[in-house]
């Protein structure tokens, strides 16, 4: 189309673009196909980090700054194709947070929702709106939008967890609000385990009606329970050729994702599992919890072991496999896409 243009048209057009550019105008026809692609073409890269490589840096950060001064001592995983943007996918942020013995990460709240996946150490707690929960390796913990939260480590070991937040999504929407609690720790108003007692036993308080859009009242999904479920499911259910034994975490009062903006899954890949290629429009961040395995796309592969973090952007076909047995946690903005009727998947034979 452009090549059939008369001789001087190209230079006339360039001059025209320059003139209208001064009025902050630009022609659609030069960008139409990247604005409205035939299928998603994420700018994000596929990328992974081995925990063994990152951990020494995190411990070094522990010597350089205290949790109180930092407010949150986190090393952010940055997508190499989006350096400087503090994000791993277009919608999600991920990082490793370290809390040393005796430290407190002071109470605050914000509109961004967070999830934690505990990776190392025992003895720390996280508090959500006045209820504390002990953090144990593998526990999946949520901090819903605008809930007060502080983290403390009264134990004697460094505690490390993976943070996942919808920071880039809220930045895109310009919907960020935050405030600090006047004290470092929020008063404890409910006993530990209260939320799981009230909402975790296939029961709910008699008059409870879930909000139309809201987070799960359960804020710790203990790994002991998740692992037991995976073990039992793997004995009974036939294995999904793409996902292995894949389960998603629920808000038990609605069946929706635990956080409106973030869905989370856990997969058990049985020994010798060789997953078929799969792609979906949500960009997914994975963290291996147990065992080891491998992820392959057409032009990238990554061998992972426990605590390694990796990501696959929207619409990139990938295969998961494991020689022995692996448990893999993952999260993405899938509930956002589903709420808007945008989510698609393709199971490739
Ligand atoms: O623990 O509250 O990784 O506010 C980034 C922002 C963690 C947190 C992060 C946060 C937090």
């Amino acid at each position: 189309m452009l090549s059939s243009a008369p001789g001087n048209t190209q230079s006339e057009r360039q001059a025209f673009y320059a003139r209208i550019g001064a009025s902050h105008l630009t022609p659609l026809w030069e960008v139409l196909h990247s604005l409205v692609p035939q299928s998603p073409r994420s700018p994000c890269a596929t990328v992974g980090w081995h925990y063994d490589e990152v951990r020494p840096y995190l411990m070094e950060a522990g010597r350089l700054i205290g949790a109180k001064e930092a407010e949150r001592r986190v090393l952010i995983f940055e997508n190499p194709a989006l350096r400087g943007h503090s994000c791993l996918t277009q919608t999600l942020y991920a990082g490793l947070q370290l809390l040393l013995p005796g430290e407190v990460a002071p109470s605050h709240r914000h509109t961004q929702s967070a999830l934690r996946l505990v990776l190392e150490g025992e003895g720390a707690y996280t508090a959500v709106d006045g209820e504390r929960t002990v953090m144990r390796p593998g526990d999946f913990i949520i901090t819903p939008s605008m809930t007060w939260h502080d983290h403390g480590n009264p134990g004697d070991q460094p505690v490390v967890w993976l943070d996942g937040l919808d920071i880039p999504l809220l930045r895109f929407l310009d919907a960020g609000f935050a405030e600090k609690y006047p004290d470092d720790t929020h008063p404890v108003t409910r006993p530990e385990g209260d939320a799981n007692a009230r909402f975790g036993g296939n029961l709910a308080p008699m008059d409870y009606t879930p909000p139309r859009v809201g987070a799960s009242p359960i804020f710790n999904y203990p790994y002991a329970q998740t692992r037991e479920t995976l073990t039992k499911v793997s004995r009974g259910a036939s294995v999904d050729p793409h996902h292995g034994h894949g389960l998603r975490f629920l808000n038990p009062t609605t069946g929706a994702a635990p956080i409106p903006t973030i869905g989370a899954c856990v997969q058990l890949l049985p020994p010798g599992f060789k997953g078929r290629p799969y792609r979906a429009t949500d960009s997914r961040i994975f963290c291996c919890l147990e065992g080891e395995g491998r992820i392959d796309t057409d032009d990238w592969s990554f061998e992972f072991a426990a605590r390694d973090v990796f990501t696959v952007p929207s619409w990139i076909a990938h295969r998961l496999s494991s020689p022995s047995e692996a448990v893999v946690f993952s999260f993405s903005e899938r509930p956002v896409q589903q709420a808007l009727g945008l989510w698609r998947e393709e199971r490739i034979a």
Side-chain angles (χ1 to χ4, degrees):
M1 190 172 54
L2 293 177
S3 61
S4 68
N8 63 351
T9 303
Q10 279 305 344
S11 56
E12 281 180 23
R13 285 179 185 172
Q14 293 305 326
F16 171 66
Y17 301 161
R19 266 189 295 124
I20 66 172
S23 297
H24 311 295
L25 295 167
T26 194
L28 168 64
W29 57 88
E30 293 289 339
V31 290
L32 178 61
H33 296 293
S34 65
L35 292 184
V36 187
Q38 281 193 315
S39 59
R41 268 182 265 153
S42 176
C44 297
T46 44
V47 59
W49 286 265
H50 294 295
Y51 188 73
D52 288 350
E53 184 192 332
V54 181
R55 189 185 188 278
Y57 294 133
L58 193 58
M59 296 304 149
E60 211 175 320
R63 291 191 293 275
L64 288 173
I65 191 163
K68 190 170 163 149
E69 188 194 350
E71 197 163 329
R72 297 295 184 265
R73 189 202 289 113
V74 178
L75 294 184
I76 303 170
F77 293 114
E78 275 207 324
N79 193 293
L82 299 171
R83 290 307 308 271
H85 295 275
S86 305
C87 61
L88 192 41
T89 74
Q90 298 267 64
T91 53
L92 295 175
Y93 153 113
L96 291 184
Q97 183 161 171
L98 168 67
L99 209 52
L100 292 169
E103 287 190 319
V104 169
S107 182
H108 69 193
R109 64 177 183 174
H110 37 71
T111 49
Q112 292 82 1
S113 299
L115 65 80
R116 335 274 174 196
L117 184 70
V118 184
L119 296 185
E120 180 185 326
E122 299 252 0
Y125 66 82
T126 206
V128 176
D129 270 347
E131 182 179 332
R132 288 183 177 180
T133 190
V134 171
M135 304 174 94
R136 298 191 173 88
D139 287 0
F140 164 53
I141 295 168
I142 62 168
T143 311
S145 179
M146 286 313 272
T147 54
W148 292 109
H149 54 285
D150 51 85
H151 318 295
N153 184 356
D156 56 8
Q157 306 166 5
V159 173
V160 177
W161 63 86
L162 174 71
D163 275 330
L165 287 93
D166 54 11
I167 287 174
L169 178 65
L170 269 73
R171 180 170 58 195
F172 180 73
L173 298 171
D174 283 333
F177 291 91
E179 56 191 300
K180 288 186 187 190
Y181 195 74
D183 301 320
D184 282 355
T185 52
H186 187 280
V188 174
T189 54
R190 287 188 308 280
E192 182 174 350
D194 190 62
N196 286 62
R198 288 203 235 189
F199 296 97
N202 298 321
L203 292 163
M206 256 174 95
D207 293 324
Y208 180 77
T209 310
R212 201 175 60 79
V213 176
S216 171
I218 294 281
F219 65 96
N220 189 347
Y221 297 75
Y223 189 58
Q225 228 173 57
T226 303
R227 190 63 177 89
E228 191 185 333
T229 305
L230 282 172
T231 303
K232 288 179 179 164
V233 164
S234 71
R235 285 192 209 121
S238 61
V239 66
D240 180 290
H242 302 272
H243 299 321
H245 298 288
L247 300 170
R248 70 180 174 95
F249 289 91
L250 290 183
N251 172 343
T253 67
T254 61
I259 299 171
T261 50
I262 311 178
C265 298
V266 66
Q267 289 163 260
L268 186 146
L269 311 179
F273 180 72
K274 286 193 170 63
R276 291 190 198 153
Y278 175 84
R279 62 180 177 176
T281 52
D282 52 323
S283 297
R284 188 161 289 275
I285 298 167
F286 296 87
C287 182
C288 177
L289 281 175
E290 276 184 46
E292 53 195 34
R294 183 186 162 101
I295 183 160
D296 289 280
T297 68
D298 284 346
D299 56 11
W300 175 79
S301 61
F302 182 72
E303 292 192 0
F304 57 81
R307 301 170 178 145
D308 293 350
V309 171
F310 50 101
T311 189
V312 179
S314 167
W315 216 235
I316 302 290
H318 56 280
R319 309 181 297 279
L320 287 167
S321 56
S322 175
S324 42
E325 180 183 71
V327 178
V328 178
F329 172 90
S330 69
F331 62 104
S332 81
E333 82 286 14
R334 177 170 157 176
V336 177
Q337 293 202 19
Q338 287 183 308
L340 302 176
L342 298 171
W343 187 76
R344 289 194 202 188
E345 66 174 342
E346 187 183 4
R347 290 164 170 268
I348 302 161

